[in-house]
Amino acid sequence: MTDTLALAQQTLLAPASLGDADLDRVLASVLTHRVDYADLYFQYSRYESWSLEEGQVKSGSYNVEQGVGVRAVSGEKTGFAYSDEILLPALSDAANAARAIARAGGNGEAHVGSKLAVRDARRVILYAPIDPLASLEDAAKVKLLEAVEQEARRADPRVKQVMASLVGVQDTILVARSDGQLAADVRPLVRLNVTVIVEYDGKRETGSSGGGGRVRYSHFLEEGRAQHYAREAVRQALVNLDAGEAPAGPMKVVLGPGWPGILLHEAIGHGLEGDFNRKGTSAFSGRVGERVASEGVTVVDDGTLADRRGSLNVDDEGTPTQKTVLIEDGILKGYMQDTLNARLMGVAPTGNGRRESYAHLPLPRMTNTYMLPGQRDPAEIIAAVDRGLYAVNFGGGQVDITSGKFVFTASEAYLIENGRVTRPVKGATLIGNGPDVLTRVTMVGNDLALDSGVGTCGKDGQSVPVGVGQPTLLIDGLTVGGTQS
Amino acid sequence: MKKTQESKTMNSGLHEQESSLRAVVSDVLAEAKQQGASSAEASSSMSQGLVVNVRLGEVETVEHTRDKGLAITVFFGQKSGSASTSDFSPGAIRDCVRAAATIARYTAADDCAGLADPDQLAREIPDLDLYHPWNPGVDRAIALATECEDAARGADPRIVNSEGASLSTHDGIEVYGNSHGFLGAVATSRHSMSCAVIGEDESGMQRDYWYTADRKAAGLEAPSKVGHEAAARTVRRLGGRKLATRKTPVLYEAAIAASLLSHFIGAIRGTSLYRRSSFLLDQLGQPVFAPHVRIHEQPFLRGALGSTPFDNDGVAPSSRDIVRDGILQGYVLDVYSARKLGMKSTGNAGGVHNLTLQPGEQDLAGLLRQMGTGLFVTELIGFGVNGVTGDYSRGAAGFWVENGVIQYPVEEITIAGNLKDMYRNLVAVGNDVDLRGNTRTGSILIDGMTLAGS
């Protein structure tokens, strides 16, 4: 962690000859204006992407983004400004703009900025401060995408188009806070995606797969992962080529393990973010201690899983991430917090303060959200359903926090008839009510899986990488939005 | 007096910004040539803004935004690479070009890669009246947002909570240039005000919102009007019921109907066509909508949110019909996808411009009467659209209508169909056109959809 801090200081502060004393002075200048709390968020982010279509890598791009965000908090009020230049004058300008918030009246409890000190660091780091962009030769990145394409074409002659992309990011951040804490993180992130179009007998369909994490590109070369994504995309597309109309109406739904955990993210995750609950605008507001799920259902948000896409050593306010129990054996235990909402609600921050970049304000956000496994064999769960839907892959989802209504859209689904998976049906949107959907969980599988590392969550126009996971689940009565009534 | 001074400062700021961006783009193109690129294109932008949020009568956030960026694509013969940065220093420009050139070394030669042909580039750059900076100052911005939220909170006793009201103002300038000698600048502004409130009764809580947006501050709806609309939309949703599964006509409210057109544009974009990943392949000259439907784009509408004198390739867009009498007249192409298809760019690099669904004669009440019994949808959630097959299934909320009269709010339902059928079953378009975005449409009535509920 100290190495990470040194690395971050070298990357972010050294080019402008900024030292801890400068940061102390800027923070102190913000704090003179009846401000309770202030922070500086420095960021240097490098991003590359390579895309393949029609068998060739025809385009690639490289992007550098850097800047510093200055936040001043006075009671419930936040002033915010940023600059894309990490230089002392620009930093001072941003600080002046941000601290003006206190003019509108504050609590007036200015803490004197103690000298910056490294936060008591986590002993184990969750991912190494590597540069994924440099972890593989450019020629090998091109070859990797070509290998994905070849595998997809080899898998089936009905494959007509293969589109694949490889993305790598190295994000270096440093947070200096008015309470004297200083934290840094170097966050690698890679992702490989493949989409295929299959065509047969005048019908066309699509399938997608992919994965990634806070690792080197070699992740995709190991265990045949890249080729597996290619075959998986083809398999999904071919299943859909044969799919009939999806059913319409409420029915028993069996959700497969892994990525279908997007259910948890939409149905309950967003509703348990601290800001909505502090404001009383969530369907879950004021419900801690109440039953919101069946017995045996435990859901956590865990930012501490090694190498995971949704993991962070520290969040964007410098708070170490943690494993937060959201629902324990069906009872709502707590919310996910950033420092602002935690302070206003009188609870501890949970390491969920995240921001898309220096140019955005932190918000309470999820990391990796998943349900712990139960006892049931997945085969036993399917066998228990007379008629229902077995949904194993999903596209995106969305939720209305206030009414609690949420959707998520299946991209691979089958009918279950008399306890057996029979035939594929087209993708359809599933809709339910967040506060009661988990009370309809009647069986929980023993096969917990996390997703392969492709999730991105949007809130207030800000995107952050997240993870989800769950075991196989049986839900008694979700509305399936097909066309066959 | 103060205002005049402020706007003067802004204008001289604009000139400075424009010349500095022109210089950056020229420099980066020169650097590309220096590094051996056979051709290159670059775009560069600067923008600034203020966003103020007020909640429950108190300031919640004040955000000052200031952004700039530079993006370049270099071509070495038919090979290309791209890079971008927010640092305009000579060293950063050199690095940026070098990064793009490095990528071009590894990408494959592509016959269709390259700049627009010189004769396609916009020759004139008309002033489309898109730049009306507004500098209300933080205090005035707070006052306007407060007035907006107060109006919403005072509108009905069932409004019990608020997500707040927001006032946002942005202006900026963008310069695009390429090694054919094209160099064009467009300055734009956009201001908006929005409000979201929570209503509650014995049935539970509901949230809804309203917003106004325009290039001119004077074009915004009054704060109280935005607040009242947000409150009315929230309160009318209280007591939402589920509906039983059925076949039904669906009336999409103007405010959410634009998504139907964006799925259509997605299907006739060049990229979707040459990848053969569209549900509308090979449909040029064929009926794709009901025979009464006209869809056109109007890139040169003065002061409109979707107007532009040239697209992201430097090509002039055109005022044209995309659908006439229900028949597909043209695709939505940029230079690259046009070459892939053996066609000409339609000036749509970066998208369509003021896409307009020709309004019909009836207002919303008229459309409700025409529908008789069916679903009036005011909110859609989720992403359940398959662009390859046209299969459509989305979460919805709205109102059940009988005999042309709204009966009660409904929620936790989905509506489904296939877009190919939905477009042909488009019964009518209202004259209640929503002008707050790049797509201009009234409410849209579609027959024969499946509603899934309880």
Side-chain angles (χ1 to χ4, degrees):
Chain A
M1 206 58 189
T2 334
D3 287 351
T4 300
L5 181 68
L7 208 57
Q9 285 171 322
Q10 186 62 33
T11 305
L12 294 164
L13 306 180
S17 308
L18 287 170
D20 286 1
D22 296 307
L23 308 193
D24 270 336
R25 262 199 304 280
V26 172
L27 283 168
S29 78
V30 178
L31 280 182
T32 55
H33 291 249
R34 293 199 302 174
V35 166
D36 306 326
Y37 170 86
D39 60 19
L40 313 177
Y41 182 87
F42 295 87
Q43 184 180 29
Y44 180 78
S45 188
R46 299 163 59 245
Y47 165 101
E48 70 169 359
S49 78
W50 299 83
S51 325
L52 172 142
E53 62 174 19
E54 301 181 316
Q56 294 183 317
V57 175
K58 294 196 269 187
S59 62
S61 67
Y62 175 78
N63 176 36
V64 181
E65 213 181 317
Q66 63 189 333
V68 54
V70 181
R71 175 169 63 144
V73 180
S74 173
E76 296 189 27
K77 302 174 175 55
T78 300
F80 179 58
Y82 58 86
S83 165
D84 57 18
E85 289 173 350
I86 302 181
L87 295 169
L88 193 55
L91 186 54
S92 302
D93 284 353
N96 279 333
R99 74 185 185 190
I101 187 69
R103 277 189 306 132
N107 294 348
E109 272 182 68
H111 304 281
V112 177
S114 51
K115 214 168 159 47
L116 288 173
V118 184
R119 158 150 225 150
D120 183 26
R122 179 197 300 286
R123 299 272 144 68
V124 183
I125 64 164
L126 305 172
Y127 41 84
I130 52 165
D131 176 10
L133 284 68
S135 70
L136 196 64
E137 296 290 326
D138 287 345
K141 295 169 193 166
V142 170
K143 263 192 147 154
L144 171 60
L145 288 172
E146 289 170 351
V148 167
E149 204 262 353
Q150 285 151 16
E151 181 70 10
R153 297 236 175 227
R154 197 195 57 76
D156 197 283
R158 288 168 287 183
V159 173
K160 297 300 172 199
Q161 283 282 346
V162 182
M163 290 150 281
S165 67
L166 184 68
V167 170
V169 185
Q170 188 197 36
D171 198 12
T172 304
I173 65 123
L174 184 145
V175 193
R177 305 171 24 152
S178 60
D179 59 6
Q181 291 181 13
L182 186 66
D185 201 4
V186 177
R187 300 166 177 168
L189 189 64
V190 297
R191 180 169 162 172
L192 175 63
N193 270 79
V194 53
T195 297
V196 302
I197 306 284
V198 296
E199 191 169 349
Y200 183 70
D201 206 10
K203 277 175 76 182
R204 272 183 312 280
E205 258 296 354
T206 180
S208 294
S209 181
R214 299 199 178 280
V215 292
R216 295 176 171 82
Y217 282 131
S218 55
H219 176 75
F220 302 122
L221 304 171
E222 293 155 7
E223 297 172 23
R225 282 195 184 93
Q227 281 81 359
H228 168 73
Y229 300 150
R231 289 192 299 273
E232 181 58 19
V234 173
R235 188 193 62 74
Q236 276 182 37
L238 294 176
V239 165
N240 283 329
L241 210 48
D242 291 332
E245 295 298 311
M251 63 187 61
K252 290 183 176 177
V253 175
V254 176
L255 297 173
W259 179 244
I262 187 171
L263 161 79
L264 305 171
H265 180 99
E266 303 297 351
I268 63 149
H270 279 296
L272 298 180
E273 288 166 342
D275 47 353
F276 302 121
N277 289 284
R278 193 246 310 165
K279 296 171 182 175
T281 59
S282 164
F284 287 96
S285 298
R287 297 192 60 180
V288 170
E290 289 182 22
R291 174 164 298 282
V292 295
S294 306
E295 280 176 29
V297 170
T298 295
V299 180
V300 299
D301 182 81
D302 188 352
T304 70
L305 302 172
D307 297 340
R308 282 275 151 192
R309 183 173 164 86
S311 298
L312 298 171
N313 286 316
V314 291
D315 73 3
D316 292 322
E317 298 178 308
T319 309
T321 51
Q322 64 181 50
K323 180 172 177 173
T324 305
V325 177
L326 304 175
I327 295 171
E328 187 170 37
D329 203 15
I331 306 299
L332 180 60
K333 299 307 270 191
Y335 304 121
M336 289 167 278
Q337 299 288 1
D338 61 356
T339 55
L340 173 75
N341 290 288
R343 180 169 54 80
L344 294 171
M345 290 181 82
V347 297
T350 56
N352 290 91
R354 305 185 63 185
R355 61 204 291 177
E356 181 179 303
S357 78
Y358 70 88
H360 298 85
L361 275 168
L363 296 169
R365 302 295 295 266
M366 284 173 260
T367 59
N368 303 295
T369 314
Y370 58 94
M371 184 186 294
L372 300 189
Q375 304 295 323
R376 302 290 191 150
D377 184 325
E380 186 191 347
I381 296 178
I382 289 166
V385 178
D386 278 350
R387 182 173 179 276
L389 189 78
Y390 179 46
V392 296
N393 268 300
F394 281 84
Q398 196 177 346
V399 61
D400 177 330
I401 301 295
T402 305
S403 71
K405 305 300 177 275
F406 71 94
V407 295
F408 58 138
T409 300
S411 56
E412 181 185 353
Y414 305 83
L415 283 186
I416 304 175
E417 292 164 304
N418 301 317
R420 300 171 71 168
V421 175
T422 54
R423 58 195 171 84
V425 292
K426 287 180 175 181
T429 289
L430 278 58
I431 191 163
N433 181 39
D436 79 24
V437 66
L438 294 187
T439 64
R440 298 162 183 257
V441 170
T442 54
M443 294 174 111
V444 180
N446 57 12
D447 55 341
L448 167 64
L450 300 176
D451 75 282
S452 60
V454 293
T456 297
C457 168
K459 173 176 171 182
D460 282 5
Q462 295 194 40
S463 294
V464 296
V466 295
V468 297
Q470 67 176 29
T472 298
L473 290 184
L474 171 57
I475 299 177
D476 198 353
L478 255 182
T479 296
V480 177
T483 52
Q484 273 318 74
S485 43
Chain B
M1 268 316 279
K2 200 175 163 220
K3 244 183 194 155
T4 327
Q5 275 171 356
E6 273 168 359
S7 83
K8 242 186 206 162
T9 328
M10 295 293 268
N11 279 330
S12 71
L14 178 71
H15 286 301
E16 258 168 53
Q17 289 190 350
E18 180 171 341
S19 42
S20 111
L21 291 179
R22 282 178 182 271
V24 165
V25 168
S26 302
D27 288 352
V28 74
L29 292 174
E31 178 65 28
K33 195 173 177 188
Q34 179 74 26
Q35 292 191 26
S38 47
S39 60
E41 62 183 339
S43 64
S44 183
S45 64
M46 283 187 184
S47 65
Q48 46 275 318
L50 172 69
V51 185
V52 168
N53 286 289
V54 167
R55 178 171 175 267
L56 300 178
E58 299 282 338
V59 182
E60 191 172 48
T61 59
V62 175
E63 297 183 51
H64 301 268
T65 74
R66 181 171 288 272
D67 296 278
K68 66 182 198 296
L70 165 68
I72 177 151
T73 297
V74 294
F75 299 92
F76 288 80
Q78 298 306 116
K79 297 170 76 163
S80 71
S82 302
S84 68
T85 179
S86 58
D87 187 346
F88 289 3
S89 68
I93 286 176
R94 241 185 343 265
D95 290 349
C96 189
V97 173
R98 197 171 295 134
T102 303
I103 287 166
R105 222 176 290 149
Y106 296 98
T107 53
D110 181 352
D111 287 349
C112 297
L115 303 176
D117 295 333
D119 62 354
Q120 277 196 290
L121 294 168
R123 279 188 200 88
E124 290 165 28
I125 299 176
D127 175 8
L128 297 175
D129 195 32
L130 308 178
Y131 182 71
H132 296 276
W134 178 34
N135 189 1
V138 172
D139 292 342
R140 174 85 182 124
I142 290 171
L144 289 168
T146 306
E147 185 187 343
C148 179
E149 199 206 26
D150 284 352
R153 292 172 66 207
D156 191 293
R158 289 167 292 177
I159 299 293
V160 296
N161 200 344
S162 169
E163 284 190 357
S166 167
L167 185 104
S168 146
T169 166
H170 289 95
D171 57 79
I173 179 163
E174 189 167 345
V175 169
Y176 169 85
N178 66 33
S179 54
H180 285 329
F182 182 90
L183 193 63
V186 191
T188 58
S189 56
R190 184 179 188 277
H191 318 293
S192 64
M193 187 172 4
S194 66
C195 183
V197 286
I198 315 280
E200 188 169 22
D201 68 3
E202 61 290 343
S203 68
M205 291 196 293
Q206 295 287 346
R207 166 203 182 273
D208 213 321
Y209 70 100
W210 191 244
Y211 75 98
T212 174
D214 204 276
R215 295 210 181 271
K216 290 181 188 171
L220 296 178
E221 286 178 5
S224 59
K225 187 169 178 214
V226 174
H228 284 140
E229 188 64 29
R233 293 178 69 85
T234 299
V235 167
R236 70 179 182 169
R237 293 177 66 156
L238 289 169
R241 309 183 199 170
K242 282 183 88 164
L243 279 174
T245 302
R246 67 191 71 183
K247 293 275 181 200
T248 178
V250 174
L251 177 59
Y252 287 74
E253 190 184 32
I256 55 140
S259 63
L260 288 172
L261 295 182
S262 85
H263 305 318
F264 167 63
I265 295 303
I268 59 163
R269 271 172 54 225
T271 316
S272 309
L273 297 171
Y274 80 73
R275 288 176 175 170
R276 307 210 35 98
S277 63
S278 159
F279 63 92
L280 291 177
L281 289 179
D282 308 318
Q283 294 295 304
L284 209 55
Q286 301 296 313
V288 292
F289 274 89
H292 58 88
V293 172
R294 178 188 179 214
I295 300 171
H296 58 125
E297 59 169 341
Q298 311 183 76
F300 306 116
L301 275 185
R302 288 183 61 76
L305 285 162
S307 299
T308 189
F310 56 86
D311 76 355
N312 293 351
D313 291 328
V315 173
S318 61
S319 300
R320 60 166 182 148
D321 282 1
I322 295 177
V323 172
R324 194 187 309 129
D325 300 331
I327 292 170
L328 184 63
Q329 306 293 317
Y331 293 142
V332 172
L333 307 176
D334 58 9
V335 165
Y336 181 78
S337 65
R339 283 196 189 122
K340 293 293 290 184
L341 294 166
M343 303 175 88
K344 282 264 180 209
S345 169
T346 53
N348 292 113
V352 289
H353 319 287
N354 297 317
L355 187 76
T356 306
L357 177 58
Q358 182 75 38
E361 302 292 316
Q362 300 187 81
D363 60 9
L364 180 58
L367 287 179
L368 286 165
R369 278 194 300 276
Q370 185 174 358
M371 177 168 72
T373 295
L375 181 70
F376 175 44
V377 174
T378 58
E379 183 178 82
L380 291 168
I381 62 171
F383 310 94
V385 179
N386 183 330
V388 176
T389 60
D391 289 325
Y392 179 100
S393 165
R394 297 191 70 187
F399 300 86
W400 185 246
V401 176
E402 284 173 14
N403 303 315
V405 179
I406 287 176
Q407 303 294 309
Y408 48 84
V410 295
E411 63 179 3
E412 206 179 331
I413 54 171
T414 61
I415 49 175
N418 185 284
L419 286 166
K420 281 185 283 194
D421 304 327
M422 289 161 64
Y423 293 152
R424 288 198 199 97
N425 293 335
L426 195 158
V427 177
V429 182
N431 61 13
D432 53 339
V433 181
D434 186 333
L435 298 176
R436 298 173 298 174
N438 184 34
T439 301
R440 302 171 156 231
T441 176
S443 297
I444 298 177
L445 176 58
I446 292 184
D447 205 4
M449 295 189 68
T450 303
L451 179 158
S454 54

